[in-house]
Amino acid sequence: MSKILVTYWSGTGNTEKMAEYITEGAKAKGAEVDCKNISHVDVDTALTYDVIAIGSPSMGAEVLEEAEIEPFVTDLEGKLKGRPLGIFGSYGWGDGEWMRNWADRMKAAGARLFDDGLMVHETPEGEDIEKCKEFGAGLASF
């Protein structure tokens, strides 16, 4: 059984909702999951999990949240070789450039990236909820 950390930063609650649905999907597949705001997680603790999933909304000119997510990702970056990783987040504008850049960055760091990340426009509703649950289920068997 996989032990998964789902950690996130959320300004409006959209990325937090995604984290909750991802957690639900992973638990439904039998994974042990801890879902925590990034402010309650440090890199050393994150590295004790079999799979790490990080959620950040698109901010500014399509970048990661800069106060908590960016420093966490930077600290984690050198420790990702061969490690299973999922990334996800919500956006309100643009075309998802922040997610593509983030995915490329994590692959370059050597992470085994699940599904090139998951993006949801604004609030997860309808089929987006199912996509989040499927993403979590996929992480459970990744």
Side-chain angles (χ1 to χ4, degrees):
M1 174 171 64
S2 291
K3 188 173 175 191
I4 301 172
L5 171 65
V6 177
T7 189
Y8 63 90
W9 184 91
S10 190
T12 62
N14 293 339
T15 301
E16 181 176 16
K17 283 185 178 77
M18 288 181 73
E20 290 167 357
Y21 293 128
I22 289 166
T23 297
E24 192 178 320
K27 284 183 175 179
K29 288 292 184 185
E32 182 183 329
V33 187
D34 290 329
C35 183
K36 299 179 179 188
N37 185 291
I38 194 83
S39 63
H40 301 293
V41 178
D42 62 71
V43 168
D44 290 336
T45 301
L47 291 169
T48 66
Y49 289 82
D50 301 315
V51 180
I52 303 167
I54 307 168
S56 174
S58 173
M59 304 290 285
E62 288 210 66
V63 295
L64 295 175
E65 187 278 326
E66 295 172 304
E68 295 191 58
I69 294 289
E70 181 59 47
F72 183 86
V73 168
T74 299
D75 288 349
L76 190 62
E77 215 162 354
K79 302 167 184 159
L80 285 172
K81 187 151 183 67
R83 185 170 281 281
L85 177 72
I87 58 175
F88 64 94
S90 61
Y91 67 102
W93 60 90
D95 68 354
E97 180 184 358
W98 108 102
M99 184 63 68
R100 291 190 301 277
N101 291 342
W102 190 12
D104 290 346
R105 181 177 167 191
M106 297 299 91
K107 287 180 204 169
R112 285 182 40 228
L113 190 62
F114 180 71
D115 208 23
D116 286 336
L118 175 65
M119 297 184 291
V120 168
H121 185 259
E122 303 288 353
T123 305
E125 298 174 336
E127 70 178 38
D128 290 330
I129 292 171
E130 291 311 308
K131 285 180 185 174
C132 289
K133 290 178 182 179
E134 288 169 14
F135 190 82
L139 290 174
S141 57
F142 185 49

